Amino acid sequence: MTEKARTTLFGILKLIPFAIITALDVLIWYDDYFAFVIAFALFWLTYPALILAFVFFFTSIRCRNKWELATVIWGAVDVLLIVVFFLTRPTVERCDPDIMAANYEKHHTEMEELREYLHEALEDSCEIKLFFEGEQMEQFYVGNYYGSDNYYKGEAQSRLDSMMAVAGLSQEEYASVEQRLESMHCNGVTYNQYTPDRINIRFRSDRWGDYQYNIDAYPITDKEKENVMKNNLFIPYNEYCMFVYDGSAGAFDSGGFSESEKRRFLRKHKPW
């Protein structure tokens, strides 16, 4: 093999790690959580690609031939894609049990009023899940005797009128629910007429799950208290309200709050 052929072959091989990283960049722009799952599942491929790309980029920085120039340009484009993504992505609000407690103290009466409002507004035997992402619809779920419908984002918005009709919500009632959530600095609610004394209100979300309030009209039982203290999905605030961190489903399920976070909060706040 001639020197030119060897240079060409090695130059092509050096570009393979950058092609893998570009594929991950595209996935990140499409769905960053899915990209992380893929990168972790294929760690035997993605991690070596990252290391090799780093080495090849800096050993080619002098651009002594067209292949080294291509390597540097491709590497710069990969970095630029990542930088632009993180600069333009929506800011995720930080959340922890202390922040949840402060918000609950300000708005617990409104939360209880929302449960009563939904109980009166919804059709009998109906369950809804209504989540917002900023000013846009994120999810609208309705279930009743006859089955259920569950739509996300654009499709949920386009089917809004028919979903409200099934749930028994008028335009005014739907707008009232949205306004009530906004006034409580929350972005979602789940309510079921089969369990009318309980409501779940979503406070904030991060990339891995949802911070929620589980609120009951009546005090929880001693058995429920025992289970709540053992389960890191919950942090009890009082006999009526539980803080919930529901992590993303699948291999990366957070399992709820960390044990140290729960222990730290309960040391300074006694729920009962």
Side-chain angles (χ1 to χ4, degrees):
M1 183 182 293
T2 65
E3 181 64 28
K4 183 177 180 181
R6 282 197 297 270
T7 300
T8 300
L9 178 61
F10 186 56
I12 293 173
L13 292 175
K14 285 170 65 176
L15 295 177
I16 293 176
F18 295 96
I20 294 171
I21 294 172
T22 300
L24 285 175
D25 285 346
V26 172
L27 277 177
I28 285 172
W29 277 88
Y30 176 73
D31 187 326
D32 57 341
Y33 176 75
F34 182 63
F36 177 82
V37 171
I38 293 296
F40 190 87
L42 301 178
F43 69 94
W44 52 269
L45 177 65
T46 54
Y47 291 0
L50 288 169
I51 294 170
L52 288 173
F54 182 83
V55 171
F56 290 158
F57 180 85
F58 284 101
T59 56
S60 302
I61 204 74
R62 293 172 61 185
C63 300
R64 289 164 294 196
N65 56 54
K66 65 180 182 181
W67 295 109
E68 289 191 349
L69 177 62
T71 299
V72 171
I73 292 174
W74 202 335
V77 170
D78 282 339
V79 171
L80 182 62
L81 286 172
I82 291 293
V83 170
V84 172
F85 171 77
F86 282 103
L87 288 177
T88 57
R89 72 186 296 193
T91 302
V92 176
E93 292 185 280
R94 186 177 70 86
C95 194
D96 60 34
D98 293 312
I99 293 173
M100 296 186 74
N103 190 68
Y104 177 77
E105 282 299 321
K106 290 180 181 178
H107 301 291
H108 64 90
T109 301
E110 297 164 75
M111 294 177 184
E112 293 160 6
E113 289 173 351
L114 177 59
R115 177 183 56 78
E116 295 171 359
Y117 185 81
L118 286 171
H119 179 60
E120 295 298 325
L122 292 176
E123 292 283 356
D124 292 341
S125 308
C126 180
E127 177 186 5
I128 69 161
K129 181 183 291 184
L130 187 59
F131 288 169
F132 296 93
E133 193 174 73
E135 296 182 357
Q136 303 298 315
M137 175 80 70
E138 179 187 341
Q139 181 184 3
F140 197 167
Y141 167 89
V142 177
N144 56 26
Y145 280 129
Y146 307 103
S148 63
D149 291 299
N150 193 19
Y151 297 106
Y152 293 86
K153 297 190 176 180
E155 193 173 10
Q157 192 66 47
S158 67
R159 296 177 179 268
L160 181 59
D161 290 341
S162 61
M163 294 285 279
M164 286 195 303
V166 174
L169 290 174
S170 66
Q171 291 282 356
E172 292 76 16
E173 288 168 333
Y174 171 84
S176 177
V177 171
E178 184 177 8
Q179 187 277 325
R180 286 166 184 262
L181 287 170
E182 185 177 350
S183 70
M184 296 185 290
H185 304 290
C186 295
N187 59 25
V189 61
T190 301
Y191 181 79
N192 191 337
Q193 290 283 38
Y194 282 109
T195 54
D197 298 322
R198 175 171 296 176
I199 190 171
N200 177 281
I201 298 174
R202 190 175 76 171
F203 177 42
R204 291 180 182 174
S205 301
D206 61 18
R207 294 292 171 180
W208 311 110
D210 297 328
Y211 293 90
Q212 308 166 3
Y213 300 104
N214 271 4
I215 301 171
D216 286 285
Y218 300 101
I220 64 172
T221 65
D222 290 339
K223 182 63 177 178
E224 288 173 325
K225 290 179 182 179
E226 183 180 340
N227 292 334
V228 162
M229 295 302 289
K230 292 178 180 177
N231 189 344
N232 285 340
L233 182 68
F234 304 97
I235 293 181
Y237 186 71
N238 56 38
E239 293 182 311
Y240 301 90
C241 177
M242 305 294 142
F243 300 162
V244 183
Y245 181 68
D246 190 4
S248 302
F252 300 96
D253 191 339
S254 71
F257 296 97
S258 69
E259 188 173 342
S260 60
E261 187 176 32
K262 181 173 183 175
R263 188 167 55 247
R264 176 190 60 78
F265 183 78
L266 292 178
R267 269 202 305 264
K268 62 183 180 181
H269 177 81
K270 303 301 181 183
W272 39 70

